[in-house]
Amino acid sequence: MSKLYTLPIEIVEVSPRDGLQNEKAQVSTADKIALIERAIGAGARRIEVTSFVNPRAVPQMADADDVCAGLPMRDDVTYIGLVMNQRGADRALTTGRIDQLGAVCVSTDTFAMANQGQTSDGSVEAAKAIIETANAAGKSAQATIAASFGCPFEGEVAEDRVVEMARALVDAGPVEIALADTIGVGNPAHVASLVARVKDVIGDLPVRVHFHNTRGTGLANVWAAIGAGASTIDASIGGLGGCPFAPGAAGNVATEDVVYMLERAGIATGLNLDTLIQSNAWLSGVMDKELPAMVARSGGFPVPEKREKEVA
Ligand code: ZN
């Protein structure tokens, strides 16, 4: 095992935002807060709690202010609010509970237009302005490049374009650059290549990755990203997730599946698998359906004493 794999990996829990935003059934604010409490209970210390977007476009996030008002008071947890523009940034900061703004720019013009009503270059400028706003307010901001591995409208996305965007974002002072496979088309070779190339141009900034398991490549992509030097992984309890503007997008990689894979491989995540599996069962009840995650169905690695009891 190479030295790289002994590093701890940080997992950002995104179920309260990306996990829920595409769900048709409106989840109550109380259940969203309960989900956040469960994520904290499982060990999550950075959580994407909501987004500050037009409620007509994303009705599931209409209660962003109420979710923020109900967030547990924790000095050791970083709460992220996703914002698409200055108005969203102002709303997020006004709550007084958001520690970090999540800014998103999009790799292609067609997707940027559908998602945010601007060009790809325009989305980079908007993200930079959001990052600067956060920093000026004494908060931090992260930047995500959506559709880094493929676009639902334009197909192939050149690595050069994503690298160029990452380089442009750095000047604004984000805490990290994230590469998002928004529609779940990535493969491990592409991921390894792009993560390494982006790392090369962003200096000491960490690379975060965001994968959807639409085509079953999510966990392989996580592994490839870590091998190439990514240090933070977005994941969603139960594997919930999708994008209202990305046709066919399925769930995020499931937190419990990522934690199982990494912890068994000797990589610390700081998260507790048993607690995550319990949260999966709870969330499955809230959503009234079985969730895509795999490990919650099978359980973790067999423990001999437990097995004896089951047989008896
Ligand atoms: Zn996503």
Side-chain angles (χ1 to χ4, degrees), residues 193 246 258:
S193 170
V258 173

Side-chain angles (χ1 to χ4, degrees), residues 256-273:
E256 52 269 44
D257 293 356
V258 173
V259 167
Y260 176 83
M261 177 179 79
L262 295 184
E263 295 278 346
R264 287 295 301 167
I267 300 172
T269 63
L271 296 187
N272 182 289
L273 184 60

Side-chain angles (χ1 to χ4, degrees), residues 17-18 182 210 212 242 252:
R17 199 283 303 175
D18 206 10
T182 312
H210 178 103
H212 285 263
N252 294 105

Side-chain angles (χ1 to χ4, degrees), residues 276-294:
L276 290 170
I277 290 174
Q278 289 158 17
S279 298
N280 175 301
W282 171 82
L283 185 57
S284 178
V286 170
M287 304 309 295
D288 196 23
K289 64 180 179 187
E290 193 175 33
L291 305 176
M294 300 294 288

Side-chain angles (χ1 to χ4, degrees), residues 14 17-18 21 180-183 210-212 234 241-243 250 252:
V14 299
R17 199 283 303 175
D18 206 10
Q21 75 168 8
D181 187 7
T182 312
I183 56 169
H210 178 103
F211 295 120
H212 285 263
D234 283 0
C243 174
N252 294 105

Side-chain angles (χ1 to χ4, degrees), residues 65-100:
D65 297 284
D66 295 333
V67 168
C68 287
L71 289 173
M73 293 286 183
R74 296 279 301 232
D75 290 340
D76 58 342
V77 178
T78 300
Y79 294 124
I80 303 165
L82 195 80
V83 302
M84 293 295 183
N85 50 36
Q86 202 59 41
R87 185 159 176 245
D90 293 340
R91 269 183 71 200
L93 293 171
T94 301
T95 67
R97 298 304 317 279
I98 294 295
D99 304 301
Q100 190 167 81

Side-chain angles (χ1 to χ4, degrees), residues 16-166:
R17 199 283 303 175
D18 206 10
L20 292 179
Q21 75 168 8
N22 209 32
E23 294 293 327
K24 299 274 181 294
Q26 191 69 33
V27 175
S28 73
T29 305
D31 280 339
K32 289 174 183 173
I33 291 165
L35 175 59
I36 291 162
E37 286 170 344
R38 282 177 174 274
I40 294 170
R45 291 297 176 265
R46 198 143 67 108
I47 305 173
E48 195 175 81
V49 292
T50 190
S51 63
F52 296 87
V53 292
N54 185 339
R56 282 193 302 279
V58 190
Q60 188 68 261
M61 296 293 122
D63 62 352
D65 297 284
D66 295 333
V67 168
C68 287
L71 289 173
M73 293 286 183
R74 296 279 301 232
D75 290 340
D76 58 342
V77 178
T78 300
Y79 294 124
I80 303 165
L82 195 80
V83 302
M84 293 295 183
N85 50 36
Q86 202 59 41
R87 185 159 176 245
D90 293 340
R91 269 183 71 200
L93 293 171
T94 301
T95 67
R97 298 304 317 279
I98 294 295
D99 304 301
Q100 190 167 81
L101 298 186
V104 182
C105 52
V106 182
S107 65
T108 67
D109 287 331
T110 316
F111 195 15
M113 204 54 81
N115 200 50
Q116 294 163 228
Q118 56 198 174
T119 62
S120 175
D121 280 340
S123 74
V124 172
E125 290 311 309
K128 287 171 72 172
I130 289 163
I131 295 162
E132 282 157 7
T133 298
N135 289 339
K139 307 290 182 184
S140 58
Q142 39 149 292
T144 295
I145 303 175
S148 283
F149 301 94
C151 168
F153 305 104
E154 297 188 21
E156 301 286 352
V157 172
E159 287 190 9
D160 286 349
R161 172 60 186 154
V162 178
V163 170
E164 176 187 28
M165 292 170 75

